[in-house]
Amino acid sequence: MSFSDPLGDMLTRIRNGQQARKSDIKVPASKLRENVLAVLKREGFIRNFERVNLRTGIEEIKVELKYYEGRPVISEINRVSTPGRRVYSSVKDLKKIYNGLGISVLSTPQGVMSDHEARVANVGGEVLCTVF
């Protein structure tokens, strides 16, 4: 099954899973998805994730969603850069999400990182999504 926007599909699965109060969700595996999930885990938005081998050549990622006092930790997750409209930002033009309470996930020449990490590394890139 091919997707026109694999990252957007993963974000939608996370959004739907938390709305349905699921403890975990499964998404098809890719390096970009794994790197974005690593950023979300470092920033405390998801509990954990692991790559699972279904059969030869077919892998998926199991994502453990995080809740606090019965409410999802992620209240908003949006795709910014889409396949039809790429959004790039320099380090000085990076906007703070909800006055620094949320994060932007960027794809930079030094890898996928949050906006906080990009400011420290003094590097800009493609803004993939925002999370609050």
Side-chain angles (χ1 to χ4, degrees):
M1 180 175 194
S2 68
F3 300 104
S4 63
D5 186 12
L7 185 60
D9 174 65
M10 181 184 78
L11 299 178
T12 300
R13 287 179 191 219
I14 290 172
R15 192 180 312 115
N16 291 343
Q18 286 200 322
Q19 199 170 22
R21 303 280 193 246
K22 299 277 187 183
S23 62
D24 57 55
I25 59 163
K26 294 179 174 103
V27 296
S30 76
K31 285 185 180 180
L32 177 64
R33 290 176 182 165
E34 203 166 0
N35 291 334
V36 170
L37 290 171
V39 171
L40 293 179
K41 182 181 176 185
R42 273 197 311 268
E43 296 291 330
F45 287 104
I46 62 172
R47 192 172 306 282
N48 199 6
F49 69 94
E50 67 176 327
R51 201 172 184 130
V52 178
N53 191 2
L54 297 177
R55 58 184 182 271
T56 307
I58 306 293
E59 292 182 330
E60 65 183 14
I61 303 172
K62 180 181 173 186
V63 182
E64 294 178 29
L65 302 175
K66 192 173 182 180
Y67 298 91
Y68 179 73
E69 294 180 353
R71 296 179 57 209
V73 171
I74 298 174
S75 59
E76 207 175 285
I77 186 164
N78 297 315
R79 182 82 157 108
V80 175
S81 189
T82 62
R85 183 183 60 95
R86 301 293 185 187
V87 177
Y88 297 94
S89 179
S90 66
V91 69
K92 61 185 172 208
D93 294 334
L94 278 176
K95 295 183 178 155
K96 291 191 175 188
I97 307 302
Y98 287 99
N99 211 15
L101 295 174
I103 63 165
S104 293
V105 179
L106 282 87
S107 176
T108 69
Q110 296 178 7
V112 178
M113 58 180 68
S114 70
D115 58 346
H116 307 298
E117 296 166 336
R119 284 187 188 92
V120 171
N122 195 28
V123 64
E126 181 182 357
V127 182
L128 299 175
C129 62
T130 59
V131 184
F132 173 69

